[in-house]
Amino acid sequence: PPPPLMSPPPSSPWTSVPLPPPDPILSISDRFRLDPSPAKLNLGVGAYRTSAGKPFVLPAVHAAAAELLADPDANHEYLPIDGLKPFTDAARTLVFGSPAAEQNDIVSVQALSGTGALRVAAEFLAAYYRTPAGGDAPAAVLIPDPTWPNHHAVFQAAGFAARVKYPYFSRDSNAVDFPAMTAALEAAEEGSVLVLHACAHNPTGADLTGAQWAAVREIAGRKRFAVMFDSAYQGFASGDLERDAKPVRDMVAMAAGERPAVILVAQSFAKNMGMYGERVGALHVVMPACGVSDAERNAVRGQLKGVIRRMYSSPPRFGAEVAARVMNDPKRMAAWKEELKGMADRIADVRVRLHDALVANGCPGTWEHVKEQIGMFSYTGLTEKQVEYLTETHHVYLTLDGRISLAGLSEDNVVRFADAVKDAVVSRPKGEP
């Protein structure tokens, strides 16, 4: 008799799942770890390091965490959906200032660091914000070019089909291309969502001047944009919490008839408190200057809570408790400010050392932009070919757009890096196919 028919082996339901491209930033660390060279250098990580290349736990944060762990009344209960109120109140005052935080009508919720705050904001805007022209689709979102790559991914995932890049930086001049930026904003649809870096623009480190910020505020108000600030580096950029918050505060302080009707701030404590893995952040929605009713205010908070409930239910407790103990204790707050300044000063010192080393070794090109930029990153102006050469020849890891994290440099390795850059620039000149 013929053999019985055999059923074909079942196929996996996941065979059609495509492999995504590697993350342009996080994959750098994976490649770095696999490199056996003792001379390897990781300049891709967006986290502060000491001059010895070690993670830095801020003493003020460490003391607050120790106090919390020793507190017999501390617990691991769920937080409310909108977070720990002593934290969100202090976070709001930190970014908006006092008494502005009390005088302005602001709805604040705790979020999963800056990324989580942006995603909650994007979901909320996609569901409830429309341009003055109306329509069913979310407004266009205007995103600087270049920017942190996750901006595009976050707004795309939230349903923003129209994501428009506006020119921000010129690779020819290694500076903000303000004429191109303002021309793009003037041409944008009225009521668009405008994404702005509050300070220490990532990846370029090139911030707007005071006069340029004033011009952007005027355009944003006149064009009735919904302004979405990404504030990831307050205090870390210049070493001064007040200075780094000025772009946000000046926007909120505009007269009622001139201010954008919608202002949101995504706030992260990853960089300025060094709590990268604790995911500590907040989202603030500034209510219109014309005034709102209690019902409208409660509806906004309720819908933000609805987004959070569907996404992750409630925020993590430990990091928020630590941050609140830092910000609400005057002595600890003063210590934190000094520690912030120390970190910012080290980065500024590295900028000068790198510039001077590039000039001293005769590296082709101009390098003033390295000194003039601000914050953790420098947009070096290196081409993709030069970056690949640096990695293959000198075991130096950085993003393909030429961004480096200055936190990975110190007086011990900055000259070696500058010499490697010179080799790359000479060996792989710009314009080479």
Side-chain angles (χ1 to χ4, degrees):
L5 295 174
M6 301 292 291
S7 299
S11 61
S12 166
W14 312 125
T15 54
S16 62
V17 176
L19 183 69
D23 184 274
I25 297 174
L26 299 182
S27 62
I28 294 171
S29 293
D30 296 334
R31 294 169 58 208
F32 174 81
R33 280 191 290 269
L34 294 173
D35 188 339
S37 171
K40 64 184 178 180
L41 187 60
N42 189 354
L43 303 183
V45 178
Y48 182 78
R49 295 291 183 263
T50 67
S51 58
K54 302 297 184 183
F56 179 56
V57 178
L58 280 71
V61 173
H62 185 272
E67 179 185 84
L68 176 60
L69 290 171
D71 187 346
D73 295 324
N75 59 66
H76 300 285
E77 294 295 305
Y78 288 120
L79 286 177
I81 295 173
D82 51 358
L84 184 73
K85 193 171 187 301
F87 165 73
T88 53
D89 286 352
R92 181 170 60 247
T93 299
L94 190 78
V95 70
F96 295 104
S98 182
E102 291 78 33
Q103 292 173 346
N104 287 278
D105 202 350
I106 303 169
V107 173
S108 301
V109 297
Q110 187 180 334
L112 301 181
S113 201
T115 307
L118 285 165
R119 182 61 190 272
V120 171
E123 293 282 347
F124 175 73
L125 290 170
Y128 300 106
Y129 174 74
R130 296 294 180 265
T131 68
D136 295 329
V141 57
L142 312 176
I143 301 176
D145 182 24
T147 193
W148 180 51
N150 221 14
H151 280 149
H152 291 279
V154 165
F155 281 94
Q156 180 182 22
F160 281 84
R163 298 179 307 283
V164 181
K165 296 180 180 180
Y166 64 85
Y168 182 84
F169 187 83
S170 167
R171 292 190 70 104
D172 293 330
S173 64
N174 285 312
V176 174
D177 190 349
F178 197 63
M181 175 183 177
T182 51
L185 297 186
E186 291 284 11
E189 180 186 4
E190 184 175 307
S192 296
V193 177
L194 173 61
V195 176
L196 294 168
H197 296 239
C199 64
H201 180 274
N202 179 6
T204 70
D207 281 358
L208 301 179
T209 66
Q212 290 169 340
W213 270 117
V216 169
R217 288 196 298 274
E218 189 279 327
I219 295 171
R222 174 166 45 82
K223 298 280 292 187
R224 302 170 71 183
F225 289 152
V227 176
M228 177 77 251
F229 278 107
D230 185 354
S231 179
Y233 298 94
Q234 185 185 351
F236 190 95
S238 68
D240 185 333
L241 288 163
E242 309 302 312
R243 174 182 168 185
D244 291 348
K246 194 172 189 305
V248 172
R249 295 177 184 182
D250 287 348
M251 185 82 75
V252 173
M254 292 173 71
E258 300 172 359
R259 191 176 89 181
V262 177
I263 301 173
L264 303 93
V265 180
Q267 182 183 24
S268 169
F269 288 85
K271 304 296 192 299
N272 58 16
M273 283 197 180
M275 292 199 291
Y276 307 97
E278 300 297 342
R279 314 312 293 148
V280 184
L283 171 64
H284 310 281
V285 181
V286 182
M287 296 289 102
C290 59
V292 296
S293 66
D294 286 341
E296 187 174 347
R297 186 183 304 104
N298 292 336
V300 168
R301 181 176 293 278
Q303 293 299 342
L304 290 173
K305 290 168 67 174
V307 171
I308 292 168
R309 177 63 169 159
R310 293 187 294 273
M311 197 178 293
Y312 53 87
S313 199
S314 66
R317 184 176 201 118
F318 185 79
E321 291 268 17
V322 171
R325 286 172 184 251
V326 171
M327 291 187 287
N328 291 316
D329 181 290
K331 289 185 179 179
R332 203 167 282 149
M333 180 75 170
W336 177 45
K337 289 180 179 180
E338 287 298 315
E339 292 155 15
L340 266 176
K341 187 176 186 307
M343 291 193 294
D345 286 350
R346 190 184 93 74
I347 296 297
D349 177 69
V350 168
R351 284 189 181 280
V352 174
R353 288 177 183 271
L354 177 57
H355 166 270
D356 292 353
L358 290 166
V359 171
N361 71 12
C363 185
T366 58
W367 301 99
E368 288 300 309
H369 60 281
V370 173
K371 285 197 303 184
E372 292 167 354
Q373 293 164 358
I374 193 171
M376 183 180 292
F377 303 113
S378 176
Y379 217 47
T380 59
L382 295 172
T383 67
E384 188 169 316
K385 293 284 187 183
Q386 291 165 350
V387 170
E388 290 172 345
Y389 182 88
L390 274 173
T391 301
E392 294 166 3
T393 306
H394 295 280
H395 305 275
V396 177
Y397 292 81
L398 60 154
T399 57
L400 287 174
D401 58 7
R403 187 200 80 169
I404 62 170
S405 173
L406 292 156
L409 293 175
S410 69
E411 59 181 308
D412 295 329
N413 59 25
V414 68
V415 171
R416 177 168 69 86
F417 173 65
D419 290 343
V421 169
K422 179 184 178 181
D423 182 29
V425 170
V426 172
S427 301
R428 297 289 185 270
K430 287 186 177 180
E432 182 185 77

